[in-house]
């Protein structure tokens, strides 16, 4: 959060153009489309039985889904995605884009994101989101 805030202060000092806020309905539409995409990909993994090929994936899922539903919603549905977005898109992608350009920054960030999830199933899944 400190680094993210520092970047925003530097952007404002440099006089970069601030993006306009989008209407609320667009955020809702993105959330609904993302949820539908995630459910579709989860169903494809379930149908293809790809998840059973990775023991690490099965262990990870067992650990993540043992707490109560409220804890899962708060941690897995809110905290983890927000932190990942701040780190990978807010910091890493944005800084790489300044030095390497759009396509290179996108590819490097995607590979680091996949590598950070270690097992192949989450890596494939994470790059499609």
């Amino acid at each position: 959060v400190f680094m993210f805030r520092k970047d925003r202060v530097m952007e404002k000092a440099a006089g970069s153009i601030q993006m306009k806020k989008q209407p609320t309905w667009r955020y809702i539409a993105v959330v609904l489309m993302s949820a539908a995409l995630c459910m579709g990909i989860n169903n494809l993994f379930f149908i293809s039985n790809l998840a059973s090929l990775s023991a690490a994936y099965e262990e990870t899922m067992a650990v993540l889904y043992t707490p109560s539903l409220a804890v899962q919603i708060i941690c897995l549905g809110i905290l983890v995605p927000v932190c990942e977005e701040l780190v990978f898109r807010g910091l890493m992608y944005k800084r790489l884009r300044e030095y390497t350009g759009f396509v290179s920054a996108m590819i490097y960030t995607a590979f680091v994101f996949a590598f950070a999830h270690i097992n192949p199933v989450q890596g494939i899944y994470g790059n499609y989101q």
Side-chain angles (χ1 to χ4, degrees):
V1 172
F2 173 74
M3 292 172 66
F4 186 74
R5 187 165 172 80
K6 183 179 175 184
D7 284 352
R8 296 298 154 260
V9 170
M10 288 174 35
E11 287 174 356
K12 286 181 182 178
S16 65
I17 300 171
Q18 297 294 319
M19 294 173 46
K20 293 188 322 184
K21 293 203 178 219
Q22 297 296 320
T24 306
W25 70 267
R26 287 192 180 186
Y27 291 106
I28 294 170
V30 167
V31 167
L32 292 175
M33 288 187 291
S34 299
L37 179 65
C38 288
M39 290 187 332
I41 292 173
N42 280 334
N43 287 334
L44 287 174
F45 278 135
F46 179 72
I47 291 169
S48 68
N49 207 20
L50 184 63
S52 66
L53 299 175
S54 174
Y57 180 77
E58 290 179 6
E59 290 173 20
T60 303
M61 291 303 107
V63 170
L64 292 177
Y65 294 118
T66 52
S68 67
L69 182 61
V71 172
Q72 288 180 30
I73 290 172
I74 292 169
C75 292
L76 300 177
I78 299 170
L79 293 177
V80 170
V82 167
C83 290
E84 284 184 344
E85 289 297 318
L86 285 174
V87 169
F88 287 101
R89 290 192 192 182
L91 293 174
M92 185 177 182
Y93 169 74
K94 194 162 193 163
R95 289 182 179 194
L96 281 172
R97 190 180 67 198
E98 291 176 7
Y99 298 107
T100 63
F102 171 74
V103 175
S104 297
M106 179 181 61
I107 292 170
Y108 293 145
T109 305
F111 279 118
V112 172
F113 184 81
F115 184 74
H117 286 87
I118 298 175
N119 62 57
V121 176
Q122 278 187 316
I124 293 168
Y125 184 79
N127 281 323
Y128 283 111
Q129 288 185 353

